[in-house]
Amino acid sequence: VPLTSSSNAIRVAVFGPLDNQGRVDAIADRLRGAMALGLIANGEQLPSEDRLATSLGVSPVSLREALVRLRADGLVETRRGNRGGSFVVSPSELGTARLRDELATMTAYQLRDLGDLRGALAGAAARRAAERRSSDAVSRLRSLAEALDEARTAPERYRADGRFCVEVAAAAQSVRLAQLELELQITIGAMAWLTVPGDDVDTYHAHMAAGYLALVDAIDATDVARARERAERNTERTTDRLVELHYALSDRAR
Amino acid sequence: MTRPTSSRTADTERAADRVAAALAERISGVFDATERIAIDLSNLAAAARRAGDPLRRSGLAPMRRAIDAAIAAEPRLVIGAGVVLAPELLADASLWLEWWTTAPAGPSQPLRPNLDPGSAWFYDYTRAPWFVEPRDRDRRAIVGPYVDIGGTDDYTLTLTVPVRLKGDFLGVAGCDLAIDGLERVVREHTRRLGTQVILVNHEPRVIASSIAQAHPGSLFAPAPGSPFERHTAHPCPRLPWTLIVAD
């Protein structure tokens, strides 16, 4: 999911290049996002450059260049020798400076547009998860919502948030919804956990944890309408926060 | 079995029972291959115990043959197989899966989920129903369909058997079934019945069906006016599955 859309975006989505961000940027962003979300674990060895390039469907040259950037950011470490390779250095921060710049340069309209997409996806997933309720999934979701409630640092909160959203889509019995949710989390999930001076992220955190628990209750009760409504309300809260953060960041940048 | 409420012939009833039995037989073959993987693990653990050496990850390599055999015996149905070990069984990994998955081309690939308990994406298999049931009740389990987030990330069913050595729980041996493969198998078996059928698990969740109103993954709840409002239920022997046949 590209972060921003331009004019003619719908036609571009059909006829345009598969990624207009530039291959290298796209690869680096995707790997960076997966690391921030904790999907690639600290110390994990990345597949060999050839295999990774093949599985990403990019040229080895683009991949190597992306890895050079990640190395410069301290996110990847290369060790030589026969047990060598590229290893992930898990970020202890959210990659804050880059995210701030990104959020500052976006517009309220773009954030609302992405928010609509997230709401549609989360609402559909929640609805199906309630309709197709499984007691195993409900207990998983409950412990993940509790994990978000207990998370203290920004990366912990982002990861718990992201996993919860992906697991709701999994509880809907849909691999495709889960994949899309994961893609959205990697693209914009972290931004909501940024902070600006004078901002009350703990209140937002408490609201989200409570909102997720309320969603689990609705799924548990197989209340399809309430599940959808709860999920949509949760994403709206996030969109509102993103817009507020955006205003604060872009005002400061000016 | 629910008594038929219509005039449908006893022949159809018997045919449906035969189909339920044939499906169970097919899955039973996968359980047999899984038991062979289980025996391998308990033999390896017994040998290690005799030698006074702790079991290590590298010591599990000989299991590959039984694992690949389980996949090869049902290539359309089984998309992964292996063992999932009890915590602290191995000397060099507190949690471990020796699990191999099929690849579109080439040999099977090892599954390497996140086993770091501190990670947000920790694949905590010790809480998975396919691990808990064989451990706590000492019996076979067949779980799903479900989306295996953090494991295969696929929509799958997992069947497992407990592995024990003189009463000590070593872990489970198991196979993942492809939902697509299973749907095709069910279709082959049920096509000849000449009536609408739905295969459900214990929840009852639809595994496969012959009508558009009962999608795989949804819970079976016939709406008024549905062909399934009146139906007969044919349990698959030794499985928590039921073949539901419309009246």
Side-chain angles (χ1 to χ4, degrees):
Chain A
V1 180
L3 206 53
T4 56
S5 58
S6 55
S7 63
N8 238 339
I10 292 174
R11 287 182 65 83
V12 166
V14 181
F15 303 113
L18 277 178
D19 202 324
N20 43 11
Q21 254 195 91
R23 294 264 161 207
V24 177
D25 283 349
I27 303 164
D29 283 352
R30 196 194 287 189
L31 291 174
R32 200 180 277 126
M35 288 172 204
L37 190 53
L39 268 184
I40 316 181
N42 190 25
E44 190 174 328
Q45 183 173 7
L46 292 176
S48 72
E49 289 186 7
D50 284 348
R51 261 189 54 199
L52 196 52
T54 309
S55 67
L56 287 165
V58 298
S59 73
V61 179
S62 309
L63 176 71
R64 231 163 280 147
E65 206 177 314
L67 288 176
V68 166
R69 287 193 201 174
L70 295 174
R71 240 170 255 135
D73 291 347
L75 292 172
V76 164
E77 202 178 85
T78 301
R79 296 176 210 154
R80 305 268 160 224
N82 55 359
R83 305 195 89 186
S86 295
F87 295 83
V88 170
V89 184
S90 200
S92 54
E93 295 291 321
L94 278 175
T96 316
R98 185 182 303 274
L99 282 177
R100 274 174 207 280
D101 287 351
E102 227 161 355
L103 187 51
T105 51
M106 289 176 79
T107 66
Y109 155 69
Q110 286 168 355
L111 292 166
R112 193 227 72 200
D113 206 25
L114 273 167
D116 287 352
L117 175 61
R118 294 184 76 179
L121 185 59
R127 184 215 139 145
R128 296 297 183 195
E131 183 185 289
R132 300 172 184 161
R133 177 193 178 279
S134 117
S135 45
D136 291 333
V138 167
S139 60
R140 258 166 102 84
L141 288 174
R142 207 175 286 287
S143 65
L144 289 167
E146 281 158 7
L148 173 62
D149 191 38
E150 284 156 21
R152 287 292 161 259
T153 69
E156 281 168 10
R157 286 173 174 178
Y158 166 43
R159 289 167 191 173
D161 180 12
R163 176 144 193 200
F164 178 87
C165 293
V166 171
E167 293 273 1
V168 172
Q173 307 269 320
S174 171
V175 171
R176 280 179 193 271
L177 288 182
Q179 282 168 344
L180 265 179
E181 185 60 66
L182 184 62
E183 221 178 302
L184 273 171
Q185 286 299 330
I186 287 174
T187 317
I188 54 166
M191 284 178 182
W193 298 105
L194 287 172
T195 50
V196 292
D199 139 65
D200 187 5
V201 72
D202 289 334
T203 300
Y204 170 72
H205 170 248
H207 278 306
M208 291 310 284
Y212 286 172
L213 280 168
L215 170 57
V216 178
D217 286 340
I219 292 172
D220 196 9
T222 63
D223 189 334
V224 172
R226 189 155 55 98
R228 163 168 239 152
E229 196 241 340
R230 285 286 180 187
E232 286 172 353
R233 208 191 297 171
N234 291 338
T235 57
E236 278 159 20
R237 192 181 288 281
T238 300
T239 305
D240 291 354
R241 176 169 173 81
L242 287 171
V243 174
E244 279 164 17
L245 286 173
H246 158 74
Y247 286 139
L249 289 166
S250 55
D251 285 351
R252 282 202 317 163
R254 194 156 297 134
Chain B
M1 191 176 88
T2 323
R3 284 266 49 91
T5 45
S6 78
S7 58
R8 218 183 37 210
T9 65
D11 283 355
T12 318
E13 293 300 309
R14 277 196 295 274
D17 284 338
R18 277 199 300 275
V19 167
L23 285 171
E25 198 53 40
R26 188 85 182 253
I27 301 301
S28 175
V30 181
F31 268 117
D32 291 345
T34 309
E35 292 286 2
R36 285 191 280 277
I37 301 173
I39 290 168
D40 261 18
L41 176 61
S42 79
N43 285 344
L44 284 173
R49 199 176 278 188
R50 277 196 303 275
D53 287 335
L55 203 54
R56 293 174 191 281
R57 281 179 293 188
S58 56
L60 300 173
M63 304 201 61
R64 184 78 188 282
R65 186 197 289 259
I67 292 170
D68 278 346
I71 295 173
E74 280 284 11
R76 291 166 58 207
L77 212 49
V78 176
I79 47 170
V83 289
V84 183
L85 303 179
E88 311 305 333
L89 180 75
L90 298 185
D92 57 351
S94 56
L95 297 171
W96 190 251
L97 293 84
E98 188 68 21
W99 196 274
W100 294 74
T101 60
T102 56
S108 51
Q109 298 287 327
L111 187 69
R112 293 279 176 264
N114 184 333
L115 296 177
D116 170 9
S119 160
W121 293 87
F122 173 38
Y123 187 66
D124 187 3
Y125 63 72
T126 65
R127 293 170 69 179
W130 48 257
F131 190 83
V132 169
E133 201 165 305
R135 182 191 63 197
D136 295 354
R137 301 190 173 184
D138 197 28
R139 65 178 190 200
R140 294 173 166 192
I142 185 159
V143 173
Y146 69 104
V147 181
D148 182 25
I149 292 291
T152 59
D153 285 335
D154 211 343
Y155 197 47
T156 190
L157 292 99
T158 301
L159 61 83
T160 46
V161 303
V163 189
R164 286 181 195 272
L165 178 61
K166 297 198 169 88
D168 294 341
F169 177 70
L170 305 179
V172 301
C175 286
D176 278 338
L177 303 180
I179 187 91
D180 295 335
L182 195 55
E183 180 175 319
R184 290 191 184 105
V185 167
V186 172
R187 288 281 282 155
E188 277 164 27
H189 280 94
T190 57
R191 204 168 276 150
R192 281 160 290 167
L193 279 176
T195 171
Q196 307 283 26
V197 293
I198 303 178
L199 180 68
V200 296
N201 71 6
H202 66 284
E203 293 176 83
R205 192 178 303 281
V206 177
I207 300 168
S209 97
S210 67
I211 64 158
Q213 288 81 6
H215 292 299
S218 63
L219 294 173
F220 175 64
S226 137
F228 286 90
E229 207 178 350
R230 300 207 299 185
H231 60 263
T232 56
H234 305 263
C236 296
R238 303 176 304 281
L239 286 179
W241 293 357
T242 306
L243 191 69
I244 295 176
V245 178
D247 256 5

